[in-house]
């Protein structure tokens, strides 16, 4: 294992047990059997290391979620299951739980606003394909343009990355309700 991989592994272990704020570079270096100066040869900061760990955890979560879903379910059931499983995973994973920790979420949000759209593409392609399939099967409204459909869920990501302005105390419940409201609106055929 390379030193960088060792630092990553040790950082993940300590962040998982102590959280972002209470973890120090000195502790990570000690567990990795390196000096603090060596840490800086691989990572410019504790934040950079944590961000890499967070991104990996988030990608692993998305992969597990995709594999666990029954895509044949009705739209509302599927989206409720997806959002519920996501919230449960975030709440039980100490790394992912930092998304709602005031000590670090601004850095995470900044990353996802600037560079993270690339990481969201796999998730977006899943729900874009679902919307197309549901629309062709008559499960969602035919009067809404196909290009507009994924934008409804893109807006949830935008809202989630502005939780401080909205009020973090409302998260993640607001996302769950909004996803449900969007799907109900998309599946409620106009009279």
């Amino acid at each position: 294992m390379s030193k960088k991989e060792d630092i990553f592994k040790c950082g993940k272990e300590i962040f998982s047990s102590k959280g972002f704020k209470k973890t120090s570079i000195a502790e990570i270096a000690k567990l990795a059997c390196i000096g603090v100066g060596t840490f800086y040869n691989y990572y410019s900061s504790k934040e950079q290391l944590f961000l890499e760990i967070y991104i990996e955890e988030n990608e692993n979560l998305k992969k597990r979620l995709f594999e666990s879903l029954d895509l044949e379910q009705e739209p509302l059931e599927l989206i409720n299951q997806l959002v519920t499983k996501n919230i449960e995973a975030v709440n039980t994973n100490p790394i992912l739980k930092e998304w709602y920790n005031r000590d670090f979420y601004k850095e995470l949000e900044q990353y996802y606003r600037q560079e993270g759209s690339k990481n969201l593409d796999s998730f977006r392609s899943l729900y874009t394909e679902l919307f197309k399939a549901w629309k062709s099967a008559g499960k969602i409204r035919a009067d809404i343009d196909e290009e507009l459909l994924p934008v409804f869920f893109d807006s949830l990501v935008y809202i989630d990355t502005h939780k401080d302005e909205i009020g973090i105390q409302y998260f993640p419940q607001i996302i769950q309700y909004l996803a449900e409201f969007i799907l109900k609106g998309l599946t409620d055929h106009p009279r």
Side-chain angles (χ1 to χ4, degrees):
M1 186 179 301
S2 74
K3 282 186 182 170
K4 185 170 185 171
E5 291 170 329
D6 207 28
I7 294 167
F8 185 94
K9 181 179 118 320
C10 293
K12 183 175 178 178
E13 182 180 326
I14 296 173
F15 285 132
S16 292
S17 65
K18 296 180 80 174
F20 173 77
K21 186 177 182 177
K22 293 181 180 177
T23 298
S24 72
I25 291 172
E27 291 173 294
I28 296 167
K30 182 178 179 182
L31 186 61
C33 300
I34 60 168
V36 171
T38 304
F39 174 93
Y40 287 107
N41 290 334
Y42 298 95
Y43 294 97
S44 63
S45 65
K46 175 175 90 166
E47 288 81 5
Q48 182 193 14
L49 172 60
F50 184 82
L51 183 60
E52 284 187 26
I53 293 168
Y54 181 90
I55 291 165
E56 180 186 87
E57 285 293 297
N58 196 33
E59 287 300 309
N60 290 339
L61 168 62
K62 284 193 294 190
K63 184 179 177 192
R64 285 191 312 272
L65 284 176
F66 293 161
E67 292 169 354
S68 73
L69 292 175
D70 174 7
L71 301 179
E72 301 303 316
Q73 295 180 79
E74 289 302 308
L76 187 57
E77 293 167 13
L78 178 64
I79 296 301
N80 277 336
Q81 182 184 24
L82 179 64
V83 172
T84 300
K85 283 184 173 188
N86 186 66
I87 290 170
E88 287 171 359
V90 168
N91 285 329
T92 58
N93 181 313
I95 301 292
L96 295 176
K97 201 171 191 172
E98 295 288 340
W99 181 255
Y100 295 106
N101 182 338
R102 289 182 189 268
D103 295 322
F104 193 68
Y105 71 73
K106 289 191 189 247
E107 286 86 350
L108 288 170
E109 287 176 353
Q110 182 179 358
Y111 167 79
Y112 280 101
R113 286 181 191 158
Q114 293 172 353
E115 317 244 345
S117 61
K118 296 173 214 154
N119 290 319
L120 297 173
D121 286 344
S122 61
F123 188 66
R124 189 178 203 274
S125 66
L126 170 72
Y127 61 76
T128 299
E129 291 305 312
L130 284 171
F131 282 140
K132 285 180 184 178
W134 290 338
K135 188 170 184 178
S136 69
K139 293 182 177 184
I140 60 173
R141 293 171 52 170
D143 63 318
I144 298 176
D145 186 299
E146 205 166 280
E147 290 182 21
L148 182 59
L149 288 171
V151 176
F152 290 107
F153 278 84
D154 290 347
S155 67
L156 292 177
V157 174
Y158 179 81
I159 289 168
D160 203 29
T161 60
H162 289 285
K163 60 187 150 296
D164 202 36
E165 296 97 320
I166 295 167
I168 193 165
Q169 70 272 23
Y170 303 117
F171 285 84
Q173 295 84 6
I174 191 72
I175 296 298
Q176 190 164 17
Y177 285 123
L178 288 173
E180 179 184 335
F181 298 160
I182 289 169
L183 246 300
K184 282 184 178 179
L186 290 174
T187 57
D188 185 24
H189 298 283
R191 290 161 181 81

